[in-house]
Amino acid sequence: MLDAPTNRPNLPAEVARRRTFAIISHPDAGKTTLTEKFLLYGGAIQMAGQVRAKGEARRTRSDFMQMEKDRGISVSASAMSFDYGDYRYNLVDTPGHSDFSEDTYRTLTAVDAAVMVIDGAKGVESQTQKLFEVCRLRDLPILTFCNKMDRESRDTFEIIDEIQENLAIDVTPASWPIGMGRDFVGCYDLLRDRLELMDRADRNKVAESISIKGLDDPKLEEHIPAELLEKFREEIEMARELLPPMDRQALLDGTLTPIWFGSAINSFGVKELMDGIGDFGPEPQIQAAEPRKISPEETKVSGFVFKVQANMDPKHRDRVAFLRMASGHFKRGMKLTHVRTKKPMAISNPVLFLASDRELADEAWAGDIIGIPNHGQLRIGDTLTEGEAIRVTGIPSFAPELLQTVRAGDPMKAKHLEKALMQFAEEGAAKVFKPMIGSGFIVGVVGQLQFEVLASRIEMEYGLPVRFEASQFTSARWVTGPKDAVDKFVNANKGHISYDHDGDIVYMTRLQWDIDRIVRDHPELTLSATKEMQV
């Protein structure tokens, strides 16, 4: 986090009660289920759905695309806002599948903290590690939830050791599991000295909690079988000796993560985690921007777009830009300046999300996430302000790892295909390159599954069957440098040059050798694998 000067004014009460966070994990660790339970406790839904529901029984709220419902995976980040206790939570559920990691990277630029979900049996998995490294780059505070304790899972100390070793972060237990798998009876809440018992019969019920005075309280014996109790007392003694105590400042600095144990599907441990986010999580933070940083207590409104979702409602060709409020108190109907085009925009129908359900937002404060329906004016990386030319920075765009050419099944519909592709490019779902020579488009993505998602969305949303075919190119690099040098380079390599949807020059290559040769022969040019969105 950016160092907060001590003389900063206090945050307005409405801003201070905001908690904006993302949930990150490996696929299948139970992230979407946890999201559902958050909504259940926040009173936003009455009954939690299941990711793999039978037939049309309640499916999850945060997965709204047809493909997500069919496969039981999340492929698109979704945002939800709800009140719980004294706090207002803005929760962003991210795709866990590595093929959609770019969406996740960008989402992490718009939150102040992350909740990392770990599977009790599998521990820290590869994708968790990758996402964790992104949080590291941004110094995001991390709270950890170890899920699926009602199944056979690993030893508690082993899980904590693995997190400390693999992720190089200190871990402090906020709760401690008693038993595991079939013998799992519940957790001991170390922060509040309470025993939380799990009710296996009713999954949508809040766990019953019994307040305990220390570990010698005779009440413990009434609820915990003797052999489990003895082991539990030993473990707690060791944990208190060996592991650091809870320290909010270390959490905010990103050097310590508190860990809660539970079972999201049984609604167990979720409430303690939510209380923890409220009590220890960061309030809205200062946002990096050019030419100056934006503080959340500023009275002028500013915000930036971190995601665009096209056709959330297939009946209307709508596009919703997700805007993270960086400062100020926004009221519906306000006119804001779109910094990239310098044009004013009246925001007359902003929405608050509950996954695919939405309602009109009459107001929003720094830290909130609102949706702005628009017809393509807003792109990822755009900043909206009350007139000041200030641009939020640090929203990345990565070079694709897989490239394929795309053709419409019906050649007469090439124009429609171009429109569909541009829509997805602006949404950030894929990179679309128009070769300088020849017709057609080259589509670049991070993971193979994205091609399937694109093909199914183009067919469902535009009624266009398309074919993806192998491309002769394997990678793409953005070219920058002095104008005359770039022009000369483009003329000499026309067969390798394409333009992305912003009109920037891209060099397409077959081999790493090509890139090395150009770096050697053209020291005045820069070939880069990332570009900042919307410069």
Side-chain angles (χ1 to χ4, degrees):
M1 286 289 148
L2 302 162
D3 296 331
T6 42
N7 57 356
R8 268 180 66 194
N10 285 338
L11 289 179
E14 271 302 319
V15 176
R17 74 183 201 95
R18 298 294 193 266
R19 295 287 181 271
T20 306
F21 60 98
I23 298 192
I24 60 172
S25 81
H26 196 83
D28 273 354
K31 182 173 41 156
T32 302
T33 309
L34 182 64
T35 306
E36 290 283 291
K37 300 299 176 165
F38 276 177
L39 298 183
L40 183 72
Y41 283 122
I45 57 176
Q46 300 311 307
M47 175 191 159
Q50 283 179 358
V51 180
R52 301 192 181 281
K54 289 186 176 66
E56 275 309 297
R58 280 297 314 277
R59 289 192 183 277
T60 59
R61 284 301 175 96
S62 54
D63 290 347
F64 55 83
M65 287 187 196
Q66 192 54 46
M67 184 164 187
E68 295 182 307
K69 293 172 185 166
D70 295 345
R71 295 199 179 196
I73 56 170
S74 303
V75 299
S76 170
S78 56
M80 286 147 263
S81 301
F82 55 93
D83 286 310
Y84 173 76
D86 300 334
Y87 298 103
R88 171 81 174 174
Y89 288 100
N90 294 305
L91 156 68
V92 188
D93 177 24
T94 60
H97 202 291
S98 59
D99 287 5
F100 302 95
S101 50
E102 192 168 344
D103 197 15
T104 307
Y105 287 130
R106 282 200 290 264
T107 301
L108 289 173
T109 58
V111 295
D112 302 311
V115 171
M116 176 166 71
V117 184
I118 286 180
D119 180 327
K122 296 179 183 156
V124 178
E125 297 173 84
S126 57
Q127 185 60 16
T128 319
Q129 206 148 349
K130 261 188 175 161
L131 293 168
F132 180 84
E133 279 156 19
V134 181
C135 296
R136 230 323 115 72
L137 289 173
R138 301 187 49 79
D139 282 335
L140 276 184
I142 292 182
L143 301 96
T144 306
F145 182 71
C146 184
N147 194 16
K148 306 193 183 180
M149 295 306 291
D150 57 325
R151 304 192 190 171
E152 287 310 314
S153 52
R154 291 165 44 186
D155 177 69
T156 313
F157 282 110
E158 217 179 287
I159 294 170
I160 290 178
D161 277 351
E162 183 171 18
I163 298 172
Q164 300 203 112
E165 273 176 32
N166 285 1
L167 307 179
I169 188 169
D170 289 332
V171 180
T172 178
S175 71
W176 198 267
I178 304 169
M180 70 168 78
R182 284 195 182 150
D183 302 333
F184 181 65
V185 287
C187 283
Y188 187 73
D189 181 342
L190 289 162
L191 301 173
R192 294 185 182 77
D193 264 343
R194 280 198 312 225
L195 180 64
E196 308 287 345
L197 296 174
M198 185 170 91
D199 178 2
R200 284 176 187 264
D202 185 357
R203 290 183 157 179
N204 285 331
K205 211 176 99 182
V206 180
E208 115 184 63
S209 75
I210 297 149
S211 70
I212 300 284
K213 298 194 174 50
L215 293 178
D216 305 325
D217 192 320
K219 272 197 252 173
L220 281 172
E221 287 156 25
E222 294 167 28
H223 300 285
I224 305 176
E227 68 282 3
L228 283 180
L229 182 57
E230 191 182 336
K231 182 171 182 240
F232 161 67
R233 281 181 172 145
E234 271 174 31
E235 287 183 342
I236 287 287
E237 298 238 310
M238 280 172 67
R240 286 188 168 154
E241 287 285 306
L242 298 171
L243 298 169
M246 178 68 196
D247 172 357
R248 183 170 188 231
Q249 196 48 51
L251 163 66
L252 297 181
D253 295 340
T255 59
L256 173 87
T257 176
I259 182 166
W260 282 264
F261 293 86
S263 158
I265 198 151
N266 288 306
S267 306
F268 184 76
V270 178
K271 188 167 144 307
E272 290 69 40
L273 173 64
M274 289 177 78
D275 290 338
I277 295 168
D279 296 345
F280 304 112
E283 44 213 19
Q285 297 292 313
I286 298 176
Q287 196 64 50
E290 293 284 331
R292 62 175 190 83
K293 294 169 181 165
I294 304 172
S295 300
E297 68 272 10
E298 290 175 27
T299 50
K300 291 254 167 98
V301 171
S302 64
F304 64 96
V305 176
F306 66 94
K307 172 183 170 60
V308 174
Q309 184 69 49
N311 307 338
M312 273 175 91
D313 181 349
K315 294 193 230 15
H316 307 284
R317 284 243 179 273
D318 69 338
R319 312 173 54 149
V320 176
F322 285 67
L323 185 89
R324 153 77 197 236
M325 295 280 300
S327 67
H329 179 198
F330 167 84
K331 296 185 190 67
R332 188 170 133 209
M334 268 179 122
K335 269 203 161 66
L336 295 178
T337 302
H338 182 208
V339 176
R340 177 168 54 89
T341 59
K342 305 184 179 55
K343 289 182 181 154
M345 264 183 99
I347 317 278
S348 47
N349 50 354
V351 290
L352 275 176
F353 298 102
L354 189 65
S356 57
D357 303 336
R358 33 175 128 160
E359 53 183 60
L360 273 176
D362 285 316
E363 57 167 9
W365 294 81
D368 283 338
I369 291 171
I370 56 172
I372 301 176
N374 68 95
H375 292 291
Q377 302 96 314
L378 290 175
R379 300 190 192 167
I380 294 171
D382 276 350
T383 307
L384 295 178
T385 65
E386 278 192 65
E388 186 180 352
I390 190 165
R391 189 175 65 81
V392 169
T393 56
I395 300 174
S397 174
F398 299 96
E401 294 170 17
L402 301 168
L403 296 169
Q404 292 194 348
T405 55
V406 59
R407 302 203 185 292
D410 175 354
M412 302 303 285
K413 297 226 169 127
K415 266 279 173 262
H416 291 85
L417 176 64
E418 179 168 355
K419 192 176 160 207
L421 290 174
M422 285 306 152
Q423 185 117 24
F424 292 126
E426 283 168 22
E427 194 183 296
K431 301 284 179 296
V432 176
F433 303 112
K434 179 91 182 84
M436 194 166 169
I437 293 177
S439 62
F441 289 92
I442 296 174
V443 175
V445 296
V446 178
Q448 188 60 41
L449 188 59
Q450 277 177 289
F451 285 126
E452 292 177 40
V453 172
L454 281 175
S456 100
R457 283 186 62 186
I458 293 172
E459 185 153 358
M460 282 182 68
E461 294 168 19
Y462 293 88
L464 267 180
V466 294
R467 285 201 314 277
F468 281 106
E469 296 164 353
S471 159
Q472 55 166 333
F473 298 119
T474 57
S475 67
R477 293 290 182 271
W478 283 281
V479 181
T480 49
K483 188 174 180 325
D484 52 340
V486 172
D487 291 348
K488 194 170 146 197
F489 174 74
V490 167
N491 285 329
N493 295 282
K494 285 183 178 164
H496 285 264
I497 299 295
S498 293
Y499 295 95
D500 71 4
H501 74 286
D502 293 326
D504 291 337
I505 295 167
V506 180
Y507 178 70
M508 315 293 276
T509 74
R510 298 188 186 89
L511 307 165
Q512 179 61 37
W513 183 82
D514 286 334
I515 299 175
D516 297 340
R517 179 177 59 89
I518 283 165
V519 170
R520 190 185 68 227
D521 296 351
H522 298 273
E524 71 285 3
L525 297 179
T526 308
L527 295 189
S528 95
T530 56
K531 78 165 185 175
E532 179 125 340
M533 298 297 275
Q534 294 322 311
V535 175

